[in-house]
Amino acid sequence: MTDLPFRFGVVAGQAPDAASWTGLARRAESMGYATLLVPDTIATLSPFTAAAVAATVTTTLRVGTYVVCAPYRTPETVAWETTTLHTLTGGRFELGLGAGRPDAEQDAAVLGVRFGTPSQRIERISRTIDAVKDVRVLVAAAGSKLLRLAAAKADTVAIGVPPHYPEEQVAAKLDELYELAGDRYNELELSMNLAVAGDEPPGRLLDRFGRTGSGILTGTSGEMADVLRCRRDRLGISYVTVNAQCMDSFAPVVERLAGT
């Protein structure tokens, strides 16, 4: 379904100190991960700052947000931050945008910003994309309205479904995206996040996210690689991001598939 090669990203947002954060960035780069992506929550590091620091200690690793919550900043503020990082990283910054995870409204209240209705948040994402230039933009989407926007304006579309959702539900979202994108569908990079991955994933992650679902991938490196190849053949998903707690155990899969 897609001619795009596999690429892999790490989603990480916490570190006790600078040495731990920069060490994580260097390890991700050495293991063949293409990106290090930072969530946008008040419980994690500030995404633009953390991405900048990671970029200073790496040379090929791309850095980005996963994903900027639309209500927290004006489109102009996001464009300012993005342009700065695009310039200072030598073009290694990728902007991820979303309308807000389930508990994002609570963060908005703490930050003193208005969360807005779903339509208002989607409109803000649209205006943000229009304000940003020369940077890859990922949109995390699941609902029809946001899928429509992603189909029209994103470079990468991350299917934002809970980890326990079966692959059939992901396929249904992609079918909808296909209908919305039309001729543009083949230009899109399709992405999914793995909340749990590896041959022996941490038990606490299995307890939190479950043991089955499209966002749970366990087994030997060969078995996991086979699943991802089949998923790319069937669904076109070529960009796979993984929870940083699984980065090391998933690295053999990255070694097998990255760039192929």
Side-chain angles (χ1 to χ4, degrees):
M1 179 178 286
T2 180
D3 294 328
L4 293 177
F6 279 110
R7 68 175 186 143
F8 296 90
V10 175
V11 180
Q14 295 180 324
D17 50 45
S20 298
W21 180 249
T22 55
L24 185 149
R26 290 190 183 100
R27 288 205 332 275
E29 182 176 60
S30 69
M31 291 176 182
Y33 287 95
T35 57
L36 175 60
L37 309 175
V38 189
D40 191 17
T41 82
I42 60 173
T44 53
L45 298 171
S46 172
F48 291 110
T49 303
V53 171
T56 63
V57 297
T58 55
T59 56
T60 61
L61 186 72
R62 299 177 70 83
V63 296
T65 57
Y66 196 82
V67 289
V68 164
C69 185
Y72 298 171
R73 304 166 188 81
T74 66
E76 293 75 17
T77 298
V78 176
W80 180 25
E81 297 279 9
T82 297
T83 300
T84 299
L85 276 169
H86 176 70
T87 300
L88 298 184
T89 63
R92 287 189 286 135
F93 180 73
E94 298 186 11
L95 176 67
L97 297 168
R101 68 197 188 288
D103 56 352
E105 189 168 4
Q106 298 174 16
D107 283 4
V110 173
L111 293 169
V113 296
R114 184 169 177 269
F115 193 61
T117 66
S119 294
Q120 288 169 335
R121 299 198 303 274
I122 291 170
E123 171 61 22
R124 178 163 282 201
I125 292 173
S126 180
R127 292 194 291 115
T128 300
I129 296 173
D130 291 342
V132 172
K133 294 179 173 54
D134 302 322
V135 174
R136 286 194 65 86
V137 175
L138 174 150
V139 173
S144 296
K145 290 183 179 180
L146 197 46
L147 283 170
R148 183 180 299 277
L149 173 61
K153 294 188 175 185
D155 299 297
T156 300
V157 181
I159 303 302
V161 299
H164 65 273
Y165 273 35
E167 193 169 291
E168 289 72 20
Q169 288 181 274
V170 176
K173 296 293 183 184
L174 290 170
D175 286 343
E176 184 177 2
L177 180 66
Y178 177 81
E179 295 298 325
L180 292 167
D183 291 342
R184 194 170 184 270
Y185 187 79
N186 290 331
E187 300 174 14
L188 298 174
E189 178 185 52
L190 305 179
S191 177
M192 270 193 65
N193 182 60
L194 299 177
V196 182
D199 55 349
E200 295 183 1
R204 61 185 179 278
L205 293 182
L206 293 170
D207 292 340
R208 178 181 177 187
F209 295 111
R211 297 175 182 273
T212 61
S214 57
I216 315 294
L217 184 60
T218 59
T220 66
S221 60
E223 290 168 342
M224 290 186 286
D226 287 343
V227 169
L228 293 180
R229 288 190 192 98
C230 290
R231 192 170 285 178
R232 184 175 64 176
D233 290 343
R234 180 186 174 209
L235 304 178
I237 295 169
S238 61
Y239 181 25
V240 180
T241 58
V242 63
N243 187 324
Q245 295 180 62
C246 303
M247 180 178 78
D248 294 307
S249 60
F250 192 69
V253 180
V254 176
E255 184 178 4
R256 281 174 178 261
L257 295 183
T260 64

